[in-house]
Amino acid sequence: MTAQLNPRGDVAVLVPAAGAGVRLGPGRPKALRLLAGEPLLVHAVRRLAAAPSVHTIVVAAPTAEVQAVRELLAPVAPVIVVPGGAERQASVAAALAAVPAGPTIVLVHDAARALTPPELVESVAAAVRSGRDAVIPVLPVVDTIKEVGAGEVVLGTVDRSALRAVQTPQGFRRAVLSAAHAAAGDSLTDDAGLVEKQGVEVSCVPGSEYAVKITRPFDLALAEHLLATTG
């Protein structure tokens, strides 16, 4: 059954999904790799569509897969699919250009974080709605972090109390993200980094353990386990 997005919602979600995912091993583009028999992108879009504030979802797909992705997602939700770029930043910019008039909040979400719960989508959107220009979901860093120099020699131990692991979706006022991409120079893999370079304050909200990024085969196995135990 196709999910219905909220025509009165104020949130557009951009999903850059054109990456190859070489660390996951040979095969199809990362977003189209299977998790429990369905592509990561399907899992991700299904959860995005379940967030009540979402008005629009735009997916930037591999150029050769645009029509296939449209057909793949048609039973999941009414999604706009556009050709992505060679770099993530270009894919986000292409998706941003396709957002219709209406939504004032834009989230950028990795398809590789396929199990991100709708509640996290709503939490990030609510923080932007409350007046923040840019918001990222984060988790505390739990491992000991070492600074290492030449020859793999430890230079010191980093104070992890001020460190956070960043997840997606990252949320922005639409005008803020548009201005950051218009002014972008060097390609970055983090949209919050783009707005930081424009002097915009970025705020944090608590992330989710389920928003794990599927990058390596081990991550895929972990996601399979999470899906099997939580549904």
Side-chain angles (χ1 to χ4, degrees), residues 56-210:
T56 300
I57 299 173
V58 184
V59 173
T63 302
E65 304 275 1
V66 169
Q67 186 56 36
V69 169
R70 286 194 182 113
E71 294 171 1
L72 176 70
L73 295 177
V76 182
V79 175
I80 300 169
V81 182
V82 299
E87 303 291 340
R88 184 182 188 278
Q89 186 174 312
S91 291
V92 174
L96 182 59
V99 175
T104 56
I105 298 170
V106 177
L107 309 187
V108 184
H109 185 53
D110 294 330
R113 298 186 188 273
L115 302 185
T116 298
E119 293 79 11
L120 185 58
V121 176
E122 288 298 305
S123 175
V124 172
V128 178
R129 197 176 294 118
S130 73
R132 302 181 191 182
D133 285 331
V135 177
I136 56 174
V138 301
L139 292 176
V141 173
V142 295
D143 292 322
T144 297
I145 304 297
K146 299 287 186 180
E147 182 183 359
V148 178
E152 295 298 296
V153 174
V154 172
L155 302 178
T157 302
V158 179
D159 179 8
R160 68 186 181 198
S161 65
L163 301 180
R164 298 293 184 271
V166 180
Q167 301 179 320
T168 68
Q170 298 183 355
F172 309 89
R173 284 199 303 110
R174 183 173 181 169
V176 168
L177 185 61
S178 296
H181 274 273
D186 297 335
S187 179
L188 294 178
T189 60
D190 177 74
D191 292 277
L194 282 181
V195 303
E196 286 170 36
K197 292 182 72 172
Q198 300 303 307
V200 175
E201 182 177 89
V202 178
S203 301
C204 300
V205 296
S208 168
E209 297 287 356
Y210 291 96

